[in-house]
Amino acid sequence: MEASSPTDLSVSDPQLQHFIEVETQKQRFQQLVHQMTELCWEKCMDKPGPKLDSRAETCFVNCVERFIDTSQFILNRLEQTQKSKSAFSESLTD
Amino acid sequence: MAEPDSGERAVSELRELVAAEQKRAQFTAQVHDFMEVCWDKCVDKPGSKLDHRTESCLASCVDRFIDTTLSITQRFSQLLQKAGH
């Protein structure tokens, strides 16, 4: 089997690479769903009733959206902080 | 057979790639950590948008968490230095 070039580091089988990417994405998605279900169940579910009422459903919708907003907010905040304080990243990324 | 030069180049490229990916994973993990802590502290019932009170709580949460980590890290290294000598 011939390598295309010494510096070509990509997996030689594009089908395999695609498969790995898809599976990784699926796993990430499942982890995210699991995490959000845990968090939003806590915030939105009081006593489980005989069915999922509309108040809880609305809360779940808000929860997922606010979760994404919050993640984005924290991401931006951390990026800002990283730029101004370099000591922060040294102590936290050990 | 590949030349030794281009082989070394490939290895250093691979190292850079891995280092960059590690940094990205670390940052993502940090965001996750902050999320866990600050979501609990700042979000009661999720509303239809992030209101100002929640946003300012999140900002404070991130800053105070960093301060706390730094302060604990410094204290720990002081203790370790004392113990080492």
Side-chain angles (χ1 to χ4, degrees):
Chain A
M1 194 162 47
E2 281 169 51
S4 33
S5 94
T7 54
D8 186 351
L9 301 169
S10 54
V11 174
S12 55
D13 185 347
Q15 260 188 345
L16 179 59
Q17 187 175 24
H18 182 255
F19 175 78
I20 290 173
E21 281 169 8
V22 166
E23 287 304 309
T24 307
Q25 249 185 4
K26 274 203 265 181
Q27 188 193 37
R28 279 200 204 127
F29 182 75
Q30 273 182 341
Q31 277 176 341
L32 196 56
V33 169
H34 182 84
Q35 184 189 11
M36 280 208 219
T37 305
E38 256 193 275
L39 291 179
C40 297
W41 177 268
E42 217 188 335
K43 296 284 185 198
C44 295
M45 204 48 126
D46 290 317
K47 281 261 191 285
K51 68 179 180 71
L52 199 59
D53 64 38
S54 60
R55 209 178 55 174
E57 258 195 272
T58 311
C59 183
F60 285 127
V61 170
N62 288 338
C63 181
V64 171
E65 291 179 7
R66 298 300 74 72
F67 181 89
I68 293 168
D69 290 344
T70 307
S71 293
Q72 191 60 50
F73 185 87
I74 289 178
L75 208 139
N76 295 339
R77 189 90 189 162
L78 280 179
E79 275 179 349
Q80 261 181 34
T81 312
Q82 243 177 15
K83 284 182 187 150
S84 53
K85 290 188 206 168
S86 58
F88 141 74
S89 31
E90 275 166 32
S91 70
L92 284 189
T93 57
D94 247 326
Chain B
M1 217 23 172
E3 310 243 346
D5 269 355
S6 44
E8 281 172 23
R9 218 171 351 120
V11 168
S12 74
E13 269 183 37
L14 181 56
R15 279 215 192 98
E16 278 175 27
L17 235 142
V18 170
E21 273 305 302
Q22 268 182 342
K23 253 194 180 170
R24 208 162 58 128
Q26 225 167 27
F27 188 73
T28 308
Q30 266 176 13
V31 173
H32 181 91
D33 288 343
F34 280 95
M35 258 310 276
E36 277 194 65
V37 168
C38 299
W39 174 268
D40 267 344
K41 293 276 183 202
C42 294
V43 179
D44 287 316
K45 275 267 193 287
S48 49
K49 68 174 183 75
L50 276 186
D51 59 29
H52 282 303
R53 207 182 58 174
T54 312
E55 278 197 348
S56 109
C57 176
L58 289 171
S60 302
C61 179
V62 171
D63 291 346
R64 295 300 76 71
F65 191 83
I66 292 169
D67 290 343
T68 307
T69 308
L70 280 176
S71 139
I72 291 178
T73 306
Q74 280 169 1
R75 183 67 189 137
F76 237 127
S77 71
Q78 275 174 17
L79 292 172
L80 287 174
Q81 274 178 355
K82 278 195 193 152
H85 301 338

